[in-house]
Amino acid sequence: EAEVAQSPRYKITEKSQAVAFWCDPISGHATLYWYRQILGQGPELLVQFQDESVVDDSQLPKDRFSAERLKGVDSTLKIQPAELGDSAMYLCASSDRDREGTEAFFGQGTRLTVV
Amino acid sequence: GQNIDQPTEMTATEGAIVQINCTYQTSGFNGLFWYQQHAGEAPTFLSYNVLDGLEEKGRFSSFLSRSKGYSYLLLKELQMKDSASYLCAVSRVYKLSFGAGTTVTVRA
């Protein structure tokens, strides 16, 4: 069964260090989302791609966060420098752009702890 | 933007029925999703409503009223494994925005 792959599953980093997360969506899915989920809250959209283009990054803290999807397939989310408040689960999801109403499929997420 | 509101927590007994309400205010509304999320895991899809009315899928049903900006998820014959967070998500122009989630605890 096709699934969204994310790595690493867990990451511990010191504040002020750089950290990167990788996501490989389901094959053929043009839409890719990065969400941040703080414990006890719902997922918050950070950035949305359609193929290789960013269509929404209004909630992305651009002074420290960056995201790319160069070939319109896999994607990388980077934080530099990491801050204590960045500790959260980072979820990647993908969906089939051409079918409105199809669900977004989520990866297992990367649990980030900044110390 | 959009506001999505759902209760924080609900507790129910095994075998009972629980209804989780979700209200939303948004422009360009396309449809509403419900996801289930067990602790430490990724959200998984439960249902999608685009038209007014009730969609039934086994023990789970979801209702939508577009004019009222209201949806609910109905969980019947509760089982211990249904203890999880239930997320209401509004879809507009392929953008998916989530509520804070409702934590449901099922007691024996």
Side-chain angles (χ1 to χ4, degrees), chain A residues 33 35 37 40-43 45 48 50 56 58 89 91 97 99-104 106-108, chain B residues 30-31 33 35 37 40-45 48 87 91-101:
Chain A
Y33 308 88
Y35 287 90
Q37 186 174 27
Q41 298 183 19
L45 181 67
Q48 178 180 342
Q50 288 296 141
D56 188 345
S58 57
M89 174 78 86
L91 293 163
R97 172 190 60 191
R99 295 172 57 207
E100 171 61 38
T102 57
E103 67 270 29
F106 284 82
Q108 289 300 302
Chain B
N30 282 334
F33 290 88
Y35 280 81
Q37 186 177 28
E41 298 183 9
T44 55
F45 169 78
Y48 176 67
L87 301 162
S91 173
R92 58 185 184 95
V93 199
Y94 300 104
K95 180 176 179 179
L96 197 57
S97 301
F98 285 83

Side-chain angles (χ1 to χ4, degrees), chain B residues 3-5 19 21-26 29 32 50-53 63-72 88 90:
Chain B
N3 293 318
I4 304 170
D5 293 312
Q19 178 174 315
N21 296 323
C22 172
T23 59
Y24 62 89
Q25 293 177 309
T26 187
F29 175 83
L32 190 139
V50 61
L51 300 175
D52 285 359
F63 172 84
L64 176 67
S65 170
R66 296 174 68 112
S67 62
K68 296 181 179 179
Y70 168 70
S71 174
Y72 68 74
C88 170
V90 169

Side-chain angles (χ1 to χ4, degrees), chain B:
Chain B
Q2 63 283 313
N3 293 318
I4 304 170
D5 293 312
Q6 48 182 132
T8 304
E9 296 181 337
M10 302 184 75
T11 301
T13 305
E14 198 173 14
I17 297 172
V18 68
Q19 178 174 315
I20 306 169
N21 296 323
C22 172
T23 59
Y24 62 89
Q25 293 177 309
T26 187
S27 56
F29 175 83
N30 282 334
L32 190 139
F33 290 88
W34 283 95
Y35 280 81
Q36 180 190 60
Q37 186 177 28
H38 285 99
E41 298 183 9
T44 55
F45 169 78
L46 287 178
S47 68
Y48 176 67
N49 292 70
V50 61
L51 300 175
D52 285 359
L54 187 68
E55 295 278 345
E56 297 188 81
K57 190 184 294 185
R59 295 188 298 114
F60 294 180
S61 303
S62 56
F63 172 84
L64 176 67
S65 170
R66 296 174 68 112
S67 62
K68 296 181 179 179
Y70 168 70
S71 174
Y72 68 74
L73 180 69
L74 195 68
L75 313 180
K76 295 177 280 189
E77 302 171 15
L78 279 173
Q79 301 177 8
M80 299 300 290
K81 67 179 181 180
D82 297 330
S83 292
S85 179
Y86 292 85
L87 301 162
C88 170
V90 169
S91 173
R92 58 185 184 95
V93 199
Y94 300 104
K95 180 176 179 179
L96 197 57
S97 301
F98 285 83
T102 299
T103 300
V104 172
T105 302
V106 181
R107 300 179 304 188

Side-chain angles (χ1 to χ4, degrees), chain A residues 20-39:
Chain A
F21 314 130
W22 177 79
C23 172
D24 191 12
I26 293 173
S27 178
H29 280 191
T31 304
L32 185 147
Y33 308 88
W34 282 103
Y35 287 90
R36 175 173 60 186
Q37 186 174 27
I38 296 169
L39 195 62

Side-chain angles (χ1 to χ4, degrees), chain A residues 45-94:
Chain A
L45 181 67
L46 293 175
V47 61
Q48 178 180 342
F49 290 92
Q50 288 296 141
D51 300 307
E52 66 276 8
S53 300
V54 173
V55 297
D56 188 345
D57 63 356
S58 57
Q59 300 303 310
L60 188 71
K62 298 180 186 64
D63 56 335
R64 297 186 301 108
F65 286 64
S66 65
E68 61 182 16
R69 193 184 184 198
L70 293 176
K71 296 183 179 179
V73 181
D74 59 334
S75 175
T76 302
L77 178 69
K78 298 179 181 178
I79 308 175
Q80 182 173 18
E83 296 181 352
L84 296 177
D86 296 331
S87 295
M89 174 78 86
Y90 290 82
L91 293 163
C92 178
S94 71

